[in-house]
Amino acid sequence: MPKGMIAASMMCANLVNLKEVVRLFEAEQIEYLHIDVMDGSFVPNLGLGVDYIRALRELTSIPLDLHLMVERPDEKLSWLGIQKEDNIIIHYESTRQLQKVLEEARKYQANVLLAINPGTPVYCIEEVLDYIDGITVLTVNPGFAGQKLVRSCIRKVEKLKKYLDSQGYKNLLIEVDGNISFEHAQILRKLGAGLFVAGTSSIFRNDNRMQDDIRKLRNCIE
Ligand code: DX5
Ligand code: ZN
């Protein structure tokens, strides 16, 4: 199994010293910057938008993990300046025409991941396995940082991994998002997760020990 990867959750980053934080992520070879795009309708919060993404692109070439928590995601794809190293994360619950939207997302040549909320069962991915590069399992109900993991999601990741292996989709990436503490990361790694969203539960606990916490998280997901 290739080493686990980190997506740093930028909604948790302090804007005042964004530049220094991004430099540290580059030095620590953080694989992705996780961008929570929120429209106040699909989730009860507003979040990182087009101008923020544009500014971040000027600051760094670390690829983006674009988590689209918006209604009608297909209509917004062209706003985001998607690059081929990025991940585009589309929610199962955000559209009635999932296959069509995933096909639309594939046109950007980036990786396409399907996200499922805590209450959405694993089997909903069955008909679209050929259109995705991975699955993002939300381990909290999305919208806010600092929430508590929904326990049933641990079992869900285990079930998902077994299902993918049994169907011949071993290579699909499993991402986990929400309250990924060191302990949860370690457990979920063993169950097959490969990409970990790091927020206030790990690397954004305290600006002064961010480097140590990144290294600690690395050890948990080797
Ligand atoms: C949800 C968000 C949050 C958050 C992750 O979409 O991605 O899960 O930033 O960080 P914590 O560790 O605060 O849950
Ligand atoms: Zn997210």
PDB file of all heavy atoms in Angstrom, residues 60-90:
ATOM      1  N   THR A  60       1.329  29.200  -4.209  1.00  0.00           N
ATOM      2  CA  THR A  60       1.930  27.855  -4.183  1.00  0.00           C
ATOM      3  C   THR A  60       1.473  26.993  -5.351  1.00  0.00           C
ATOM      4  O   THR A  60       0.413  27.246  -5.937  1.00  0.00           O
ATOM      5  CB  THR A  60       1.567  27.133  -2.859  1.00  0.00           C
ATOM      6  OG1 THR A  60       2.207  25.857  -2.827  1.00  0.00           O
ATOM      7  CG2 THR A  60       0.070  26.948  -2.710  1.00  0.00           C
ATOM      8  N   SER A  61       2.273  25.951  -5.626  1.00  0.00           N
ATOM      9  CA  SER A  61       1.838  24.995  -6.651  1.00  0.00           C
ATOM     10  C   SER A  61       1.398  23.669  -6.023  1.00  0.00           C
ATOM     11  O   SER A  61       1.223  22.673  -6.735  1.00  0.00           O
ATOM     12  CB  SER A  61       2.941  24.786  -7.691  1.00  0.00           C
ATOM     13  OG  SER A  61       4.098  24.359  -7.034  1.00  0.00           O
ATOM     14  N   ILE A  62       1.221  23.637  -4.703  1.00  0.00           N
ATOM     15  CA  ILE A  62       0.658  22.419  -4.084  1.00  0.00           C
ATOM     16  C   ILE A  62      -0.743  22.206  -4.676  1.00  0.00           C
ATOM     17  O   ILE A  62      -1.549  23.139  -4.717  1.00  0.00           O
ATOM     18  CB  ILE A  62       0.537  22.558  -2.544  1.00  0.00           C
ATOM     19  CG1 ILE A  62       1.891  22.833  -1.897  1.00  0.00           C
ATOM     20  CG2 ILE A  62      -0.077  21.289  -1.940  1.00  0.00           C
ATOM     21  CD1 ILE A  62       1.835  23.048  -0.379  1.00  0.00           C
ATOM     22  N   PRO A  63      -1.033  20.982  -5.155  1.00  0.00           N
ATOM     23  CA  PRO A  63      -2.351  20.740  -5.748  1.00  0.00           C
ATOM     24  C   PRO A  63      -3.488  20.933  -4.742  1.00  0.00           C
ATOM     25  O   PRO A  63      -3.285  20.798  -3.533  1.00  0.00           O
ATOM     26  CB  PRO A  63      -2.297  19.283  -6.202  1.00  0.00           C
ATOM     27  CG  PRO A  63      -0.871  18.908  -6.198  1.00  0.00           C
ATOM     28  CD  PRO A  63      -0.169  19.791  -5.217  1.00  0.00           C
ATOM     29  N   LEU A  64      -4.673  21.217  -5.260  1.00  0.00           N
ATOM     30  CA  LEU A  64      -5.835  21.459  -4.402  1.00  0.00           C
ATOM     31  C   LEU A  64      -6.758  20.239  -4.362  1.00  0.00           C
ATOM     32  O   LEU A  64      -6.924  19.531  -5.362  1.00  0.00           O
ATOM     33  CB  LEU A  64      -6.615  22.683  -4.897  1.00  0.00           C
ATOM     34  CG  LEU A  64      -5.831  23.991  -5.017  1.00  0.00           C
ATOM     35  CD1 LEU A  64      -6.760  25.144  -5.398  1.00  0.00           C
ATOM     36  CD2 LEU A  64      -5.064  24.324  -3.730  1.00  0.00           C
ATOM     37  N   ASP A  65      -7.329  20.028  -3.199  1.00  0.00           N
ATOM     38  CA  ASP A  65      -8.311  18.980  -2.952  1.00  0.00           C
ATOM     39  C   ASP A  65      -9.626  19.740  -2.786  1.00  0.00           C
ATOM     40  O   ASP A  65      -9.940  20.231  -1.703  1.00  0.00           O
ATOM     41  CB  ASP A  65      -7.883  18.277  -1.645  1.00  0.00           C
ATOM     42  CG  ASP A  65      -8.594  16.987  -1.327  1.00  0.00           C
ATOM     43  OD1 ASP A  65      -8.772  16.159  -2.243  1.00  0.00           O
ATOM     44  OD2 ASP A  65      -8.936  16.776  -0.146  1.00  0.00           O
ATOM     45  N   LEU A  66     -10.346  19.890  -3.889  1.00  0.00           N
ATOM     46  CA  LEU A  66     -11.481  20.817  -3.947  1.00  0.00           C
ATOM     47  C   LEU A  66     -12.774  20.133  -3.520  1.00  0.00           C
ATOM     48  O   LEU A  66     -13.387  19.382  -4.301  1.00  0.00           O
ATOM     49  CB  LEU A  66     -11.622  21.361  -5.373  1.00  0.00           C
ATOM     50  CG  LEU A  66     -10.478  22.277  -5.835  1.00  0.00           C
ATOM     51  CD1 LEU A  66     -10.436  22.360  -7.355  1.00  0.00           C
ATOM     52  CD2 LEU A  66     -10.626  23.666  -5.225  1.00  0.00           C
ATOM     53  N   HIS A  67     -13.191  20.376  -2.297  1.00  0.00           N
ATOM     54  CA  HIS A  67     -14.371  19.738  -1.715  1.00  0.00           C
ATOM     55  C   HIS A  67     -15.595  20.620  -1.973  1.00  0.00           C
ATOM     56  O   HIS A  67     -15.794  21.625  -1.294  1.00  0.00           O
ATOM     57  CB  HIS A  67     -14.121  19.542  -0.215  1.00  0.00           C
ATOM     58  CG  HIS A  67     -15.205  18.794   0.487  1.00  0.00           C
ATOM     59  ND1 HIS A  67     -15.236  18.625   1.851  1.00  0.00           N
ATOM     60  CD2 HIS A  67     -16.311  18.149   0.012  1.00  0.00           C
ATOM     61  CE1 HIS A  67     -16.317  17.933   2.174  1.00  0.00           C
ATOM     62  NE2 HIS A  67     -16.982  17.637   1.090  1.00  0.00           N
ATOM     63  N   LEU A  68     -16.388  20.231  -2.943  1.00  0.00           N
ATOM     64  CA  LEU A  68     -17.508  21.068  -3.376  1.00  0.00           C
ATOM     65  C   LEU A  68     -18.772  20.757  -2.589  1.00  0.00           C
ATOM     66  O   LEU A  68     -19.500  19.798  -2.899  1.00  0.00           O
ATOM     67  CB  LEU A  68     -17.760  20.867  -4.871  1.00  0.00           C
ATOM     68  CG  LEU A  68     -16.559  21.162  -5.766  1.00  0.00           C
ATOM     69  CD1 LEU A  68     -16.953  21.056  -7.228  1.00  0.00           C
ATOM     70  CD2 LEU A  68     -16.002  22.540  -5.466  1.00  0.00           C
ATOM     71  N   MET A  69     -19.019  21.559  -1.568  1.00  0.00           N
ATOM     72  CA  MET A  69     -20.238  21.394  -0.762  1.00  0.00           C
ATOM     73  C   MET A  69     -21.227  22.448  -1.230  1.00  0.00           C
ATOM     74  O   MET A  69     -21.522  23.425  -0.529  1.00  0.00           O
ATOM     75  CB  MET A  69     -19.885  21.555   0.713  1.00  0.00           C
ATOM     76  CG  MET A  69     -19.048  20.388   1.206  1.00  0.00           C
ATOM     77  SD  MET A  69     -18.627  20.579   2.938  1.00  0.00           S
ATOM     78  CE  MET A  69     -17.171  21.555   2.799  1.00  0.00           C
ATOM     79  N   VAL A  70     -21.704  22.255  -2.446  1.00  0.00           N
ATOM     80  CA  VAL A  70     -22.571  23.243  -3.098  1.00  0.00           C
ATOM     81  C   VAL A  70     -23.681  22.530  -3.865  1.00  0.00           C
ATOM     82  O   VAL A  70     -23.524  21.372  -4.275  1.00  0.00           O
ATOM     83  CB  VAL A  70     -21.765  24.121  -4.107  1.00  0.00           C
ATOM     84  CG1 VAL A  70     -20.680  24.918  -3.408  1.00  0.00           C
ATOM     85  CG2 VAL A  70     -21.161  23.283  -5.224  1.00  0.00           C
ATOM     86  N   GLU A  71     -24.793  23.227  -4.038  1.00  0.00           N
ATOM     87  CA  GLU A  71     -25.851  22.737  -4.921  1.00  0.00           C
ATOM     88  C   GLU A  71     -25.386  22.950  -6.366  1.00  0.00           C
ATOM     89  O   GLU A  71     -24.642  23.881  -6.644  1.00  0.00           O
ATOM     90  CB  GLU A  71     -27.140  23.550  -4.720  1.00  0.00           C
ATOM     91  CG  GLU A  71     -27.606  23.681  -3.282  1.00  0.00           C
ATOM     92  CD  GLU A  71     -28.326  22.445  -2.757  1.00  0.00           C
ATOM     93  OE1 GLU A  71     -28.530  21.484  -3.518  1.00  0.00           O
ATOM     94  OE2 GLU A  71     -28.668  22.470  -1.553  1.00  0.00           O
ATOM     95  N   ARG A  72     -25.828  22.109  -7.257  1.00  0.00           N
ATOM     96  CA  ARG A  72     -25.494  22.187  -8.682  1.00  0.00           C
ATOM     97  C   ARG A  72     -23.977  22.341  -8.929  1.00  0.00           C
ATOM     98  O   ARG A  72     -23.519  23.312  -9.533  1.00  0.00           O
ATOM     99  CB  ARG A  72     -26.217  23.372  -9.345  1.00  0.00           C
ATOM    100  CG  ARG A  72     -27.717  23.336  -9.167  1.00  0.00           C
ATOM    101  CD  ARG A  72     -28.353  24.502  -9.884  1.00  0.00           C
ATOM    102  NE  ARG A  72     -29.787  24.547  -9.640  1.00  0.00           N
ATOM    103  CZ  ARG A  72     -30.689  23.814 -10.290  1.00  0.00           C
ATOM    104  NH1 ARG A  72     -30.318  22.987 -11.239  1.00  0.00           N
ATOM    105  NH2 ARG A  72     -31.964  23.913  -9.992  1.00  0.00           N
ATOM    106  N   PRO A  73     -23.207  21.367  -8.447  1.00  0.00           N
ATOM    107  CA  PRO A  73     -21.748  21.486  -8.565  1.00  0.00           C
ATOM    108  C   PRO A  73     -21.255  21.602 -10.016  1.00  0.00           C
ATOM    109  O   PRO A  73     -20.271  22.292 -10.290  1.00  0.00           O
ATOM    110  CB  PRO A  73     -21.221  20.208  -7.901  1.00  0.00           C
ATOM    111  CG  PRO A  73     -22.382  19.270  -7.882  1.00  0.00           C
ATOM    112  CD  PRO A  73     -23.600  20.116  -7.798  1.00  0.00           C
ATOM    113  N   ASP A  74     -21.969  20.947 -10.935  1.00  0.00           N
ATOM    114  CA  ASP A  74     -21.533  20.961 -12.346  1.00  0.00           C
ATOM    115  C   ASP A  74     -21.481  22.375 -12.915  1.00  0.00           C
ATOM    116  O   ASP A  74     -20.622  22.703 -13.729  1.00  0.00           O
ATOM    117  CB  ASP A  74     -22.419  20.061 -13.209  1.00  0.00           C
ATOM    118  CG  ASP A  74     -23.902  20.280 -12.953  1.00  0.00           C
ATOM    119  OD1 ASP A  74     -24.283  20.548 -11.799  1.00  0.00           O
ATOM    120  OD2 ASP A  74     -24.674  20.210 -13.925  1.00  0.00           O
ATOM    121  N   GLU A  75     -22.397  23.230 -12.452  1.00  0.00           N
ATOM    122  CA  GLU A  75     -22.426  24.608 -12.978  1.00  0.00           C
ATOM    123  C   GLU A  75     -21.270  25.454 -12.449  1.00  0.00           C
ATOM    124  O   GLU A  75     -20.993  26.530 -12.977  1.00  0.00           O
ATOM    125  CB  GLU A  75     -23.748  25.286 -12.578  1.00  0.00           C
ATOM    126  CG  GLU A  75     -24.946  24.683 -13.271  1.00  0.00           C
ATOM    127  CD  GLU A  75     -26.264  25.256 -12.747  1.00  0.00           C
ATOM    128  OE1 GLU A  75     -26.230  26.197 -11.925  1.00  0.00           O
ATOM    129  OE2 GLU A  75     -27.310  24.742 -13.167  1.00  0.00           O
ATOM    130  N   LYS A  76     -20.621  24.982 -11.391  1.00  0.00           N
ATOM    131  CA  LYS A  76     -19.571  25.789 -10.756  1.00  0.00           C
ATOM    132  C   LYS A  76     -18.163  25.330 -11.097  1.00  0.00           C
ATOM    133  O   LYS A  76     -17.184  26.020 -10.775  1.00  0.00           O
ATOM    134  CB  LYS A  76     -19.771  25.777  -9.244  1.00  0.00           C
ATOM    135  CG  LYS A  76     -20.918  26.697  -8.835  1.00  0.00           C
ATOM    136  CD  LYS A  76     -21.836  26.134  -7.801  1.00  0.00           C
ATOM    137  CE  LYS A  76     -23.120  26.943  -7.725  1.00  0.00           C
ATOM    138  NZ  LYS A  76     -24.254  26.234  -7.207  1.00  0.00           N
ATOM    139  N   LEU A  77     -18.042  24.184 -11.750  1.00  0.00           N
ATOM    140  CA  LEU A  77     -16.707  23.637 -12.020  1.00  0.00           C
ATOM    141  C   LEU A  77     -15.825  24.614 -12.793  1.00  0.00           C
ATOM    142  O   LEU A  77     -14.646  24.777 -12.493  1.00  0.00           O
ATOM    143  CB  LEU A  77     -16.827  22.321 -12.803  1.00  0.00           C
ATOM    144  CG  LEU A  77     -17.386  21.126 -12.015  1.00  0.00           C
ATOM    145  CD1 LEU A  77     -17.723  19.978 -12.951  1.00  0.00           C
ATOM    146  CD2 LEU A  77     -16.406  20.684 -10.947  1.00  0.00           C
ATOM    147  N   SER A  78     -16.414  25.292 -13.759  1.00  0.00           N
ATOM    148  CA  SER A  78     -15.611  26.167 -14.623  1.00  0.00           C
ATOM    149  C   SER A  78     -15.143  27.429 -13.895  1.00  0.00           C
ATOM    150  O   SER A  78     -14.292  28.154 -14.397  1.00  0.00           O
ATOM    151  CB  SER A  78     -16.420  26.555 -15.867  1.00  0.00           C
ATOM    152  OG  SER A  78     -17.509  27.369 -15.466  1.00  0.00           O
ATOM    153  N   TRP A  79     -15.644  27.679 -12.706  1.00  0.00           N
ATOM    154  CA  TRP A  79     -15.252  28.880 -11.956  1.00  0.00           C
ATOM    155  C   TRP A  79     -13.921  28.699 -11.216  1.00  0.00           C
ATOM    156  O   TRP A  79     -13.330  29.665 -10.748  1.00  0.00           O
ATOM    157  CB  TRP A  79     -16.287  29.233 -10.869  1.00  0.00           C
ATOM    158  CG  TRP A  79     -17.690  29.408 -11.307  1.00  0.00           C
ATOM    159  CD1 TRP A  79     -18.174  29.371 -12.594  1.00  0.00           C
ATOM    160  CD2 TRP A  79     -18.825  29.635 -10.454  1.00  0.00           C
ATOM    161  NE1 TRP A  79     -19.529  29.565 -12.587  1.00  0.00           N
ATOM    162  CE2 TRP A  79     -19.955  29.734 -11.289  1.00  0.00           C
ATOM    163  CE3 TRP A  79     -18.979  29.768  -9.080  1.00  0.00           C
ATOM    164  CZ2 TRP A  79     -21.231  29.951 -10.795  1.00  0.00           C
ATOM    165  CZ3 TRP A  79     -20.248  29.994  -8.577  1.00  0.00           C
ATOM    166  CH2 TRP A  79     -21.363  30.083  -9.429  1.00  0.00           C
ATOM    167  N   LEU A  80     -13.509  27.426 -11.077  1.00  0.00           N
ATOM    168  CA  LEU A  80     -12.504  27.118 -10.057  1.00  0.00           C
ATOM    169  C   LEU A  80     -11.057  27.044 -10.555  1.00  0.00           C
ATOM    170  O   LEU A  80     -10.139  26.856  -9.765  1.00  0.00           O
ATOM    171  CB  LEU A  80     -12.865  25.788  -9.364  1.00  0.00           C
ATOM    172  CG  LEU A  80     -14.259  25.760  -8.723  1.00  0.00           C
ATOM    173  CD1 LEU A  80     -14.601  24.354  -8.253  1.00  0.00           C
ATOM    174  CD2 LEU A  80     -14.360  26.738  -7.562  1.00  0.00           C
ATOM    175  N   GLY A  81     -10.851  27.166 -11.845  1.00  0.00           N
ATOM    176  CA  GLY A  81      -9.485  27.089 -12.376  1.00  0.00           C
ATOM    177  C   GLY A  81      -8.829  25.753 -12.064  1.00  0.00           C
ATOM    178  O   GLY A  81      -7.685  25.687 -11.618  1.00  0.00           O
ATOM    179  N   ILE A  82      -9.569  24.683 -12.298  1.00  0.00           N
ATOM    180  CA  ILE A  82      -9.102  23.337 -11.934  1.00  0.00           C
ATOM    181  C   ILE A  82      -7.858  22.957 -12.741  1.00  0.00           C
ATOM    182  O   ILE A  82      -7.799  23.194 -13.952  1.00  0.00           O
ATOM    183  CB  ILE A  82     -10.234  22.313 -12.176  1.00  0.00           C
ATOM    184  CG1 ILE A  82     -11.392  22.606 -11.228  1.00  0.00           C
ATOM    185  CG2 ILE A  82      -9.734  20.884 -12.004  1.00  0.00           C
ATOM    186  CD1 ILE A  82     -12.688  21.926 -11.607  1.00  0.00           C
ATOM    187  N   GLN A  83      -6.862  22.376 -12.062  1.00  0.00           N
ATOM    188  CA  GLN A  83      -5.644  21.904 -12.743  1.00  0.00           C
ATOM    189  C   GLN A  83      -5.585  20.380 -12.661  1.00  0.00           C
ATOM    190  O   GLN A  83      -6.206  19.789 -11.777  1.00  0.00           O
ATOM    191  CB  GLN A  83      -4.424  22.551 -12.086  1.00  0.00           C
ATOM    192  CG  GLN A  83      -4.482  24.069 -12.229  1.00  0.00           C
ATOM    193  CD  GLN A  83      -3.271  24.784 -11.662  1.00  0.00           C
ATOM    194  OE1 GLN A  83      -2.343  24.167 -11.145  1.00  0.00           O
ATOM    195  NE2 GLN A  83      -3.291  26.105 -11.764  1.00  0.00           N
ATOM    196  N   LYS A  84      -4.805  19.779 -13.545  1.00  0.00           N
ATOM    197  CA  LYS A  84      -4.937  18.321 -13.643  1.00  0.00           C
ATOM    198  C   LYS A  84      -4.375  17.535 -12.443  1.00  0.00           C
ATOM    199  O   LYS A  84      -4.731  16.387 -12.244  1.00  0.00           O
ATOM    200  CB  LYS A  84      -4.414  17.796 -14.980  1.00  0.00           C
ATOM    201  CG  LYS A  84      -2.961  17.869 -15.252  1.00  0.00           C
ATOM    202  CD  LYS A  84      -2.702  17.174 -16.600  1.00  0.00           C
ATOM    203  CE  LYS A  84      -1.242  16.985 -16.951  1.00  0.00           C
ATOM    204  NZ  LYS A  84      -0.323  18.019 -16.565  1.00  0.00           N
ATOM    205  N   GLU A  85      -3.556  18.164 -11.628  1.00  0.00           N
ATOM    206  CA  GLU A  85      -3.058  17.485 -10.415  1.00  0.00           C
ATOM    207  C   GLU A  85      -4.061  17.569  -9.258  1.00  0.00           C
ATOM    208  O   GLU A  85      -3.870  16.932  -8.225  1.00  0.00           O
ATOM    209  CB  GLU A  85      -1.728  18.101  -9.940  1.00  0.00           C
ATOM    210  CG  GLU A  85      -0.569  17.982 -10.906  1.00  0.00           C
ATOM    211  CD  GLU A  85      -0.663  18.972 -12.076  1.00  0.00           C
ATOM    212  OE1 GLU A  85      -1.425  19.962 -11.961  1.00  0.00           O
ATOM    213  OE2 GLU A  85      -0.004  18.719 -13.104  1.00  0.00           O
ATOM    214  N   ASP A  86      -5.107  18.363  -9.420  1.00  0.00           N
ATOM    215  CA  ASP A  86      -6.068  18.566  -8.327  1.00  0.00           C
ATOM    216  C   ASP A  86      -7.010  17.370  -8.159  1.00  0.00           C
ATOM    217  O   ASP A  86      -7.129  16.528  -9.055  1.00  0.00           O
ATOM    218  CB  ASP A  86      -6.971  19.789  -8.633  1.00  0.00           C
ATOM    219  CG  ASP A  86      -6.200  21.087  -8.692  1.00  0.00           C
ATOM    220  OD1 ASP A  86      -5.081  21.160  -8.157  1.00  0.00           O
ATOM    221  OD2 ASP A  86      -6.749  22.059  -9.280  1.00  0.00           O
ATOM    222  N   ASN A  87      -7.688  17.335  -7.010  1.00  0.00           N
ATOM    223  CA  ASN A  87      -8.822  16.433  -6.809  1.00  0.00           C
ATOM    224  C   ASN A  87     -10.096  17.272  -6.837  1.00  0.00           C
ATOM    225  O   ASN A  87     -10.163  18.322  -6.191  1.00  0.00           O
ATOM    226  CB  ASN A  87      -8.758  15.744  -5.441  1.00  0.00           C
ATOM    227  CG  ASN A  87      -7.578  14.794  -5.313  1.00  0.00           C
ATOM    228  OD1 ASN A  87      -7.110  14.242  -6.309  1.00  0.00           O
ATOM    229  ND2 ASN A  87      -7.101  14.605  -4.091  1.00  0.00           N
ATOM    230  N   ILE A  88     -11.098  16.792  -7.574  1.00  0.00           N
ATOM    231  CA  ILE A  88     -12.416  17.427  -7.544  1.00  0.00           C
ATOM    232  C   ILE A  88     -13.320  16.485  -6.759  1.00  0.00           C
ATOM    233  O   ILE A  88     -13.479  15.315  -7.141  1.00  0.00           O
ATOM    234  CB  ILE A  88     -13.018  17.581  -8.961  1.00  0.00           C
ATOM    235  CG1 ILE A  88     -12.035  18.257  -9.906  1.00  0.00           C
ATOM    236  CG2 ILE A  88     -14.349  18.323  -8.905  1.00  0.00           C
ATOM    237  CD1 ILE A  88     -12.512  18.261 -11.365  1.00  0.00           C
ATOM    238  N   ILE A  89     -13.904  16.991  -5.681  1.00  0.00           N
ATOM    239  CA  ILE A  89     -14.731  16.136  -4.823  1.00  0.00           C
ATOM    240  C   ILE A  89     -16.189  16.552  -4.956  1.00  0.00           C
ATOM    241  O   ILE A  89     -16.580  17.660  -4.596  1.00  0.00           O
ATOM    242  CB  ILE A  89     -14.287  16.253  -3.350  1.00  0.00           C
ATOM    243  CG1 ILE A  89     -12.790  15.964  -3.225  1.00  0.00           C
ATOM    244  CG2 ILE A  89     -15.107  15.320  -2.466  1.00  0.00           C
ATOM    245  CD1 ILE A  89     -12.202  16.365  -1.875  1.00  0.00           C
ATOM    246  N   ILE A  90     -16.992  15.638  -5.513  1.00  0.00           N
ATOM    247  CA  ILE A  90     -18.416  15.910  -5.749  1.00  0.00           C
ATOM    248  C   ILE A  90     -19.249  15.096  -4.755  1.00  0.00           C
ATOM    249  O   ILE A  90     -19.023  13.890  -4.600  1.00  0.00           O
ATOM    250  CB  ILE A  90     -18.819  15.457  -7.190  1.00  0.00           C
ATOM    251  CG1 ILE A  90     -17.938  16.110  -8.252  1.00  0.00           C
ATOM    252  CG2 ILE A  90     -20.321  15.636  -7.431  1.00  0.00           C
ATOM    253  CD1 ILE A  90     -18.378  17.448  -8.731  1.00  0.00           C
TER     254      ILE A  90
END
